[in-house]
Amino acid sequence: MTHYRFADRMIHAPASFIDELFRVSGEPGVISFAGGLPDAALIDVEGIARAVAAVMEEEGRCALQYSTTDGYRPLREYIAARYRRRLGIPAEADDIQIVNGSQQCLDLMAKIFLNPGDVVGMERPGYLGAIEAFSLYEPEICTVPLDEEGPDLQAFAAMVRDRAPKFFYGIPNSQNPSGITYPEAARREIARLLDGTGTLFYEDDAFGDLFFDGRPRLPVKKYLPEGAVLSGSFSKIVAPGMRIGWILAPQPVLRQFNAAKQAADLHSNFLCQVVLHRYLSGTDLDAHVRRVAGIYGERCRTMCDIIDDLLPPGTARTTPEGGMFLMVFLPPGVSSMDVFREGVRQGVAVLPGVPFYAGGGGEETIRLNFSNADETSIAEGMERLARVVRGLA
């Protein structure tokens, strides 16, 4: 019997719920609100196909070659120009690094900042992908409660003052899993509390384009230019399979990030970067995003109405302004894991809140995804979920 001597850090890696989630969600007849997928029907396959053909015909040999670690410069210039136009952030191409989806940012940021035992701050509940990525570097994860008004600012101030985390990771726009959006006052106060402390704000903006009202919200980085990094992704607004995201960061951070990225994979998929830039150059991305966000908004409202009408007393929910998720708080005594297991038996899959709570908790919560089901599926699936919860209440 071979003895495999794995690194100690693997002991700290939380067991992933994702494999089980996708296994049961893919069973025939199951309507899934459990995943985090955008609607594939809204991906512009024809437009991307035209971009692929043009790239292969006009610059195929270049696009199929190795490239630089920081990414395809025309794509970085596009991202920087969009920041300037939409949010008034004075970004330039040299401030941006292309990554393999914003998920890679989580790993590389942890790699360059966290030693074992260092403190990292997060929202509670927080994104499970971040919890998994950070845990491999053996930090102490400190959490701040999150509600409809954003992070508890008293708890946030106390954490920064008393624990001095290396960085605080947050999703101010349509947070995953809750769907909550920080009010502008909270963003300004967070910037004020962090200014000059040495604690960086790591702002994950995967959903900032998907506000139902089409109005962008100013990021924390707008108020804390040198004390925040901002990551983004084309996965939710163009195509997740291309795995293209980015980070906007101060130069001292970007130099370390680039070194870690080079060691990890040399560079992100260069062909997809060139194809994506060609596609974006011939597409009205803002119009496309408005259409997608409008459809998601209709689906979210349908789901919220059914929750309010059909789920038993004691149920509560968040009220998303955008994004792809909302969170349901179950009636007292109802376990999210029981809802998950019974739901699969009755043909509906949800994601229990447990993996979103670092250090334990979340047994009374479930996350629902409204982006990847049409109105008919939402109506039927939510009726199934209502039966499950009523039966357990």
Side-chain angles (χ1 to χ4, degrees):
M1 178 69 72
T2 300
H3 176 62
Y4 299 102
R5 296 181 292 172
F6 295 112
D8 291 345
R9 72 177 64 90
M10 297 310 299
I11 298 170
H12 301 274
S16 176
F17 196 78
I18 301 299
D19 286 344
E20 172 72 3
L21 169 67
F22 281 110
R23 184 185 66 79
V24 300
S25 298
E27 292 182 1
V30 173
I31 296 173
S32 179
F33 304 132
L37 281 65
D39 188 345
L42 299 177
I43 296 173
D44 183 7
V45 175
E46 292 79 9
I48 294 173
R50 289 193 295 271
V52 170
V55 167
M56 297 308 291
E57 180 179 352
E58 298 174 20
E59 49 186 325
R61 294 190 185 280
C62 174
L64 291 167
Q65 184 56 279
Y66 282 117
S67 185
T68 58
T69 302
D70 48 7
Y72 187 46
R73 189 173 186 87
L75 179 59
R76 291 155 53 215
E77 289 172 344
Y78 177 94
I79 295 166
R82 199 157 185 265
Y83 272 129
R84 295 193 298 270
R85 175 173 56 81
R86 291 181 68 246
L87 300 172
I89 293 176
E92 299 294 340
D94 288 340
D95 302 320
I96 291 168
Q97 167 92 54
I98 302 297
V99 293
N100 290 313
S102 58
Q103 184 71 20
Q104 188 182 42
C105 287
L106 297 168
D107 176 67
L108 295 180
M109 281 290 292
K111 184 177 288 186
I112 67 174
F113 275 101
L114 299 179
N115 298 311
D118 281 347
V119 176
V120 60
M122 287 187 66
E123 304 151 332
R124 181 178 180 84
Y127 174 45
L128 69 88
I131 294 171
E132 292 175 352
F134 298 160
S135 294
L136 282 170
Y137 296 92
E138 305 173 59
E140 179 183 354
I141 297 177
C142 292
T143 59
V144 172
L146 181 71
D147 61 25
E148 295 284 359
E149 297 303 312
D152 182 317
L153 293 175
Q154 285 190 326
F156 184 90
M159 181 196 64
V160 172
R161 181 186 65 243
D162 300 336
R163 304 307 311 279
K166 287 285 190 71
F167 60 79
F168 182 91
Y169 169 82
I171 308 176
N173 293 333
S174 307
Q175 194 250 10
N176 184 359
S178 69
I180 288 170
T181 291
Y182 296 12
E184 183 182 4
R187 299 168 190 241
R188 290 180 179 271
E189 181 63 6
I190 286 168
R192 188 190 71 80
L193 291 169
L194 290 179
D195 191 23
T197 64
T199 293
L200 194 69
F201 191 79
Y202 177 179
E203 188 167 12
D204 186 341
D205 194 27
F207 308 101
D209 280 285
L210 294 178
F211 281 108
F212 305 149
D213 62 8
R215 180 175 61 85
R217 276 58 164 178
L218 294 178
V220 173
K221 186 170 177 61
K222 176 74 172 179
Y223 310 113
L224 193 67
E226 296 302 312
V229 302
L230 183 59
S231 67
S233 174
F234 288 104
S235 292
K236 309 301 187 294
I237 59 175
V238 177
M242 299 181 90
R243 304 309 303 133
I244 297 180
W246 68 88
I247 187 168
L248 170 68
Q251 286 299 317
V253 175
L254 216 53
R255 283 193 291 272
Q256 300 296 328
F257 190 94
N258 186 275
K261 164 81 171 165
Q262 187 175 69
D265 63 5
L266 296 183
H267 62 77
S268 298
N269 185 310
F270 188 57
L271 174 61
C272 280
Q273 292 181 61
V274 178
V275 167
L276 177 60
H277 179 260
R278 177 64 67 101
Y279 170 73
L280 294 170
S281 298
T283 300
D284 186 342
L285 181 62
D286 291 342
H288 173 71
V289 165
R290 283 194 299 272
R291 175 172 173 264
V292 171
I295 292 170
Y296 289 174
E298 293 171 1
R299 294 174 181 179
C300 178
R301 286 186 286 274
T302 297
M303 186 173 280
C304 287
D305 288 345
I306 295 173
I307 291 169
D308 295 343
D309 292 344
L310 296 185
L311 268 71
T315 304
R317 60 169 174 80
T318 56
T319 305
E321 298 176 29
M324 295 166 42
F325 307 104
L326 62 84
M327 179 162 270
V328 174
F329 302 88
L330 298 167
V334 177
S335 160
S336 62
M337 291 304 298
D338 289 344
V339 171
F340 170 70
R341 286 187 283 264
E342 182 60 25
V344 171
R345 282 194 285 271
Q346 296 199 33
V348 60
V350 301
L351 183 55
V354 174
F356 298 102
Y357 287 77
E363 292 86 356
E364 76 290 356
T365 66
I366 57 175
R367 188 195 74 176
L368 300 179
N369 167 253
F370 49 78
S371 61
N372 194 37
D374 60 25
E375 297 272 345
T376 301
S377 298
I378 289 174
E380 175 59 30
M382 291 303 295
E383 288 188 9
R384 295 177 188 180
L385 177 61
R387 287 197 298 271
V388 169
V389 177
R390 287 197 303 266
L392 293 170

